[in-house]
Amino acid sequence: MVTDKPSSLDTMLQQDDLTAAQADATRWRYGFYVVVAGIVAVLIAFAAAVFATREFASLFAGVAGVIGTIVGAYFGVQAGQSGKARVEAELARTQELAIRLAAHVGTANAPRVVDEVLGRRRG
């Protein structure tokens, strides 16, 4: 079975992982700032409304719903984007690996390598 991989490919894949991790961390950080700013704005509006109307209980229900929605949306979007980014990075890594290994094997050895790795075609 063919298992050797060019060492330069390992270095390239590690750089891609680092870039993806940095992008993910940046998205989480700035998303957090936006959520905190939104919550602060809602709380300021809540305080002003309570001060003007003196009705705490009915206004609090609305504020709790809005804050819950903001926080839930933040974590939902972040989790979805993180999963999507991981899948796209893995797909790109797999495609690059396949292309590099195909180039490394060459056309003369390709049928033998394909048979070893994937098994004989049933057809």
Side-chain angles (χ1 to χ4, degrees), residues 68-114:
T69 301
I70 290 172
V71 171
Y74 168 71
F75 284 112
V77 167
Q78 293 300 332
Q81 287 295 322
S82 178
K84 179 183 175 215
R86 275 195 310 268
V87 168
E88 288 175 346
E90 186 63 30
L91 177 62
R93 182 179 18 252
T94 303
Q95 286 176 337
E96 182 177 354
L97 179 63
I99 291 169
R100 289 184 178 278
L101 289 175
H104 183 69
V105 168
T107 56
N109 298 324
R112 182 183 56 82
V113 172
V114 168

Side-chain angles (χ1 to χ4, degrees), residues 22-121:
Q22 289 171 343
D24 196 41
T26 301
R27 184 176 59 248
W28 276 92
R29 181 177 46 247
Y30 289 122
F32 176 75
Y33 293 149
V34 169
V35 168
V36 168
I39 290 173
V40 168
V42 168
L43 290 176
I44 289 172
F46 170 70
V50 167
F51 182 74
T53 64
R54 304 280 188 228
E55 291 187 29
F56 179 79
S58 60
L59 293 174
F60 182 75
V63 168
V66 170
I67 290 175
T69 301
I70 290 172
V71 171
Y74 168 71
F75 284 112
V77 167
Q78 293 300 332
Q81 287 295 322
S82 178
K84 179 183 175 215
R86 275 195 310 268
V87 168
E88 288 175 346
E90 186 63 30
L91 177 62
R93 182 179 18 252
T94 303
Q95 286 176 337
E96 182 177 354
L97 179 63
I99 291 169
R100 289 184 178 278
L101 289 175
H104 183 69
V105 168
T107 56
N109 298 324
R112 182 183 56 82
V113 172
V114 168
D115 289 342
E116 283 181 20
V117 174
L118 299 177
R120 293 219 177 261
R121 264 188 134 172

